[in-house]
Amino acid sequence: MRNFFDADVAETYDATHGGTDSTLIAQTVDTLTDLAGDGPALEFAVGTGRIALPLAKRGVAVSGIELSEPMVAKMRAKPGGVEIPTTVGDMTTTRMPGAFSLVFLVFNTIDNLITQDAQVACFENAAAHLARGGRFVIETLLPPLQRLPMGETRLPFANDADHWGVDEFDVTTQTYASHHIWLRDAQAEHLSVPFRYAWPAEMARIAGMQLEHRWSDWTRAPFTNLSRCHISVWQKRP
């Protein structure tokens, strides 16, 4: 899996990608704390620690796996960041010692695995880390294909003064790419990142886990036909 999250992206990730909505972060951490219970948690793609750090402040023992060394460096520069045990590696194969009550993968990052085999391997790796009865949580957007006219492949998602964004879809392969243009200091910076979307029904029962909950957001609102996101919780069989 190619790493698109280099030092330049890591430097501005929290502001331009990861989000700083304190209410959303609090809702996310509340739900993850409840799901972890008294056990340790492991975040796949821990990144800059946007969720891991506030979760650790809630008393959850958090570890991380992250492909990007610059992203880990940003986390370790934050208060408490060096206290999050983190291994640099691919979340489909990298192992952390111990058994966890919770493994979680948030902010659409499952889509960074651009083949079905890689996404299945991610589930298998999560299951291998879980204690019996433990939970694997994924947060990801639903592909907005209902908003695409027949034959159209591009859908804008950002039109700000300093940021333009367009998603480009290939419905025959379930892949898409997010194209970003940032305007900084009178210069344009371009980044394209490939993804693979998976429908919620595709993530049904994998690696000895079964679906326990599916919500439309971190408030645990019901998942419906109008939901644009899903928070799905799989439990490893006791």
Side-chain angles (χ1 to χ4, degrees):
M1 181 173 65
R2 179 183 168 190
N3 180 17
F4 287 85
F5 298 90
D6 58 15
D8 289 340
V9 172
E11 185 63 31
T12 59
Y13 181 83
D14 287 345
T16 60
H17 290 82
T20 56
D21 185 333
S22 59
T23 298
L24 176 58
I25 291 173
Q27 291 169 344
T28 304
V29 170
D30 285 345
T31 298
L32 294 174
T33 299
D34 289 346
L35 292 171
D38 296 329
L42 172 63
E43 182 172 7
F44 282 0
V46 67
T48 63
R50 183 181 68 98
I51 299 301
L53 289 171
L55 186 61
K57 289 183 179 179
R58 292 287 297 272
V60 178
V62 185
S63 299
I65 293 173
E66 171 58 51
L67 185 65
S68 168
E69 292 189 37
M71 296 283 276
V72 174
K74 290 295 291 185
M75 178 178 67
R76 288 176 174 158
K78 297 177 180 179
V82 295
E83 299 170 11
I84 306 293
T86 301
T87 296
V88 175
D90 190 323
M91 63 187 172
T92 64
T93 55
T94 301
R95 291 296 307 273
M96 289 287 285
F100 297 84
S101 64
L102 177 69
V103 177
F104 61 99
L105 176 60
V106 298
F107 203 63
N108 314 318
T109 311
I110 186 69
D111 288 7
N112 286 110
L113 304 174
I114 60 174
T115 68
Q116 187 180 58
D117 285 346
Q119 291 177 346
V120 170
C122 180
F123 271 76
E124 292 171 340
N125 197 30
H129 282 93
L130 287 173
R132 290 192 177 278
R135 295 175 171 94
F136 180 37
V137 180
I138 284 180
E139 172 198 20
T140 190
L141 294 171
L142 268 69
L145 301 189
Q146 290 178 317
R147 296 165 55 197
L148 281 175
M150 180 63 71
E152 182 57 77
T153 61
R154 296 177 179 86
L155 190 65
F157 63 84
N159 183 20
D160 302 319
D162 59 351
H163 177 216
W164 299 337
V166 176
D167 282 334
E168 185 174 11
F169 294 87
D170 185 341
V171 297
T172 63
T173 61
Q174 287 186 222
T175 58
Y176 69 104
S178 288
H179 305 292
H180 301 264
I181 295 177
W182 283 279
L183 303 177
R184 299 189 181 109
D185 300 325
Q187 292 186 337
E189 299 178 11
H190 175 256
L191 174 68
S192 292
V193 183
F195 299 98
R196 179 187 186 270
Y197 61 83
W199 297 103
E202 186 178 346
M203 302 184 223
R205 182 180 299 175
I206 303 176
M209 297 185 289
Q210 55 191 7
L211 187 66
E212 182 182 26
H213 303 290
R214 178 161 284 147
W215 303 304
S216 64
D217 57 38
W218 289 108
T219 69
R220 301 177 233 192
F223 180 76
T224 72
N225 288 336
L226 298 178
S227 297
R228 294 192 175 188
C229 175
H230 70 98
I231 315 295
S232 295
V233 182
W234 288 267
Q235 186 172 38
K236 188 172 182 176
R237 296 188 184 100

